Amino acid sequence: MQHGPAVRRRKLGAELRALRTSAGLTSGEAARLVGWHQSKVSRIETGTSGVKPADVRLLLDAYGVTDSQLRELLLVLAESDDGGGRHHWWHAYRGVLPPTYRDFISLESQATAMRTLETTVVPGLLQTPEYARAVTKAAVEGLPEDRLDTLVEVRLARQDVLRGDPPLELSAVLDEAVLRREVGGPGVMARQLERLVEAARLPQVRLQVLPFAAGAHIGVTGPFVIFSFSITSDLNVVVLDHLTSSLYLERKEDLQAYTEAFNALQIHALSPEDSLDFIAGTAAGA
């Protein structure tokens, strides 16, 4: 279990090592191709040192990697720009967002699918501006208004992944408490529930409600997110949020455990159709 930057370096290194092997090169041969010492290639592949985007490009060129999606994903993991000198949108907020949050956004921006269990609040990708503001204000007391505005702006900008081409596939299991907790007052909550009803009808969104009647379940230990990448499953990761940081789980046994937990939660939750009716009914009574 590691913080984001360490996981990102290790995953990037592991993928570069796999690409080198597929190209039929030893680490020494790869180093000679790009004019480095073998130790630099080894440090990058083991994740013990960071790597610049320009160096990643050199290695990908040396390995004959032409897949644009894979190249872009690996460059994002190296905190790169998009190859044309323009930084990714979240780079504009480097002075405001902590590194772990930027890591989360970078993974979210490149993931194919996201599975999440939420036990307290609506997932950030589905929050209305008013709800996002109320949640952020409650989570971080004493925020100046301008900083609060910026954090809400970032939360809303993240939602563009659901409108991408192709869009991120979002599967969310929501504990009933998420729907019952009145965040920001009755009006804000009513509009948020309406937003959930709209989202539940989107083809790229699968919402399921875990009602109180389901009793105790495996998700009582807390919320989590699983990011999946169609390009390579080796980059899949579980993210656990804590009050002051996020933790990233990357071991195959961790991924399997959380995947099985999410599958079990989906079985115990209402179907997407019944969940839509449940959310709509809750909204009508709000």
Side-chain angles (χ1 to χ4, degrees):
M1 188 156 53
Q2 298 286 338
H3 292 283
V7 169
R8 183 172 57 191
R9 285 197 306 269
R10 215 164 31 247
K11 285 186 172 294
L12 175 59
E15 187 62 22
L16 289 172
R17 182 173 60 249
L19 291 171
R20 172 179 59 75
T21 301
S22 296
L25 298 170
T26 66
S27 59
E29 290 169 338
R32 284 192 293 275
L33 281 175
V34 295
W36 299 344
H37 192 279
Q38 181 181 358
S39 61
K40 180 173 180 177
V41 174
S42 298
R43 288 196 304 272
I44 290 172
E45 291 184 351
T46 57
T48 55
S49 67
V51 55
K52 296 178 181 178
D55 289 343
V56 172
R57 289 193 186 91
L58 280 177
L59 292 174
L60 295 178
D61 290 343
Y63 304 158
V65 178
T66 58
D67 186 314
S68 59
Q69 279 190 302
L70 180 56
R71 289 177 69 97
E72 170 68 8
L73 174 57
L74 297 182
L75 288 169
V76 166
L77 290 179
E79 290 191 325
S80 74
D81 60 30
D82 63 2
R86 179 174 56 84
H87 287 291
H88 292 287
W89 67 264
W90 59 87
H91 286 202
Y93 300 94
R94 292 178 72 91
V96 178
L97 305 180
T100 51
Y101 193 16
R102 296 202 304 271
D103 286 327
F104 184 91
I105 295 173
S106 69
L107 290 171
E108 183 179 72
S109 72
Q110 295 296 313
T112 305
M114 174 179 174
R115 289 165 286 177
T116 180
L117 165 68
E118 289 291 351
T119 58
T120 55
V121 297
V122 170
L125 294 182
L126 302 178
Q127 293 178 6
T128 64
E130 298 87 357
Y131 186 98
R133 188 177 189 85
V135 166
T136 305
K137 191 172 184 178
V140 190
E141 292 186 355
L143 270 180
E145 284 298 309
D146 58 342
R147 185 176 175 86
L148 178 59
D149 290 342
T150 299
L151 292 176
V152 172
E153 183 179 308
V154 169
R155 180 77 48 98
L156 299 179
R158 285 173 46 204
Q159 298 177 2
D160 283 345
V161 295
L162 294 177
R163 297 182 285 270
D165 183 21
L168 174 75
E169 295 180 6
L170 173 64
S171 296
V173 174
L174 309 181
D175 191 276
E176 184 178 343
V178 172
L179 309 180
R180 301 295 183 187
R181 178 169 290 103
E182 193 175 277
V183 174
V188 170
M189 198 62 205
R191 288 188 290 275
Q192 178 60 71
L193 292 174
E194 291 172 2
R195 167 68 178 128
L196 285 178
V197 171
E198 295 170 1
R201 296 193 175 108
L202 296 174
Q204 68 271 34
V205 176
R206 178 187 175 95
L207 288 186
Q208 291 182 258
V209 175
L210 197 61
F212 291 146
H217 52 78
I218 196 169
V220 296
T221 54
F224 59 86
V225 173
I226 306 173
F227 285 124
S228 301
F229 300 83
S230 62
I231 302 170
T232 169
S233 62
D234 288 341
L235 295 175
N236 294 355
V237 65
V238 176
V239 185
L240 306 178
D241 266 341
H242 294 265
L243 183 61
T244 57
S245 65
S246 297
L247 293 174
Y248 293 64
L249 284 68
E250 58 175 323
R251 297 184 308 166
K252 288 184 178 180
E253 49 266 45
D254 292 326
L255 286 162
Q256 181 177 351
Y258 277 87
T259 297
E260 291 175 353
F262 190 81
N263 292 341
L265 289 166
Q266 287 187 308
I267 292 172
H268 288 93
L270 300 176
S271 69
E273 296 75 20
D274 289 343
S275 295
L276 177 57
D277 292 340
F278 191 97
I279 296 170
T282 305

